[in-house]
Amino acid sequence: MTEQPLILEMGMGADVHGHDMTKAALRAVSDAIRHSSLTLFGTYKHPGEMRVEVTIAVPFPDQVDRQAVADALPYGIIDVTVVEGGLHDRGMGGKEDITLAVAGVKAFLDTGEHGFVPTAGA
């Protein structure tokens, strides 16, 4: 296999009135993937073969619905990892507290039979 990392995107998402870790995570993933127009995968006609690694950082990792995060991505074989991080701002108090999630989305594709050759140092 000649799998190559082809995309790395970062995103942030917030839930400003509910402390919902999954909602913040979904918004972070959406933010990350909106930064790219991934025409590369359509060119090689194999977007379903793409392997996608998603890392979500939130204050309370056990409260994230990993399947909901995976379902938010349109293509590929998705692996979601959730770690402690992000922000839980208690400065406003009560329902006005803010939960912030950070997402890293990496996409990989086996380029062995596609004629795709990354440049040196990529």
Side-chain angles (χ1 to χ4, degrees), residues 29-67:
V29 168
S30 177
D31 181 49
I33 65 174
R34 287 182 192 180
H35 292 158
S36 295
S37 176
L38 306 180
T39 59
L40 171 74
F41 296 107
T43 300
Y44 292 100
K45 311 278 190 249
H46 299 282
E49 294 175 14
M50 173 175 50
R51 183 173 63 86
V52 181
E53 293 178 358
V54 179
T55 302
I56 302 287
V58 292
F60 306 107
D62 58 320
Q63 295 179 18
V64 173
D65 180 342
R66 288 172 171 79
Q67 188 59 53

Side-chain angles (χ1 to χ4, degrees), residues 7-121:
I7 295 167
L8 169 61
E9 289 291 348
M10 307 300 283
M12 292 185 295
D15 180 28
V16 294
H17 298 293
H19 314 288
D20 188 320
M21 300 298 134
T22 299
K23 184 184 288 185
L26 290 169
R27 289 176 176 171
V29 168
S30 177
D31 181 49
I33 65 174
R34 287 182 192 180
H35 292 158
S36 295
S37 176
L38 306 180
T39 59
L40 171 74
F41 296 107
T43 300
Y44 292 100
K45 311 278 190 249
H46 299 282
E49 294 175 14
M50 173 175 50
R51 183 173 63 86
V52 181
E53 293 178 358
V54 179
T55 302
I56 302 287
V58 292
F60 306 107
D62 58 320
Q63 295 179 18
V64 173
D65 180 342
R66 288 172 171 79
Q67 188 59 53
V69 172
D71 291 345
L73 293 155
Y75 302 113
I77 301 159
I78 316 296
D79 179 41
V80 177
T81 302
V82 184
V83 299
E84 188 172 349
L87 173 72
H88 190 64
D89 181 7
R90 298 170 199 253
M92 299 293 288
K95 289 281 188 183
E96 283 69 43
D97 288 355
I98 297 171
T99 297
L100 180 68
V102 178
V105 180
K106 293 187 264 185
F108 301 82
L109 185 65
D110 182 352
T111 60
E113 296 182 19
H114 300 292
F116 179 80
V117 180
T119 60

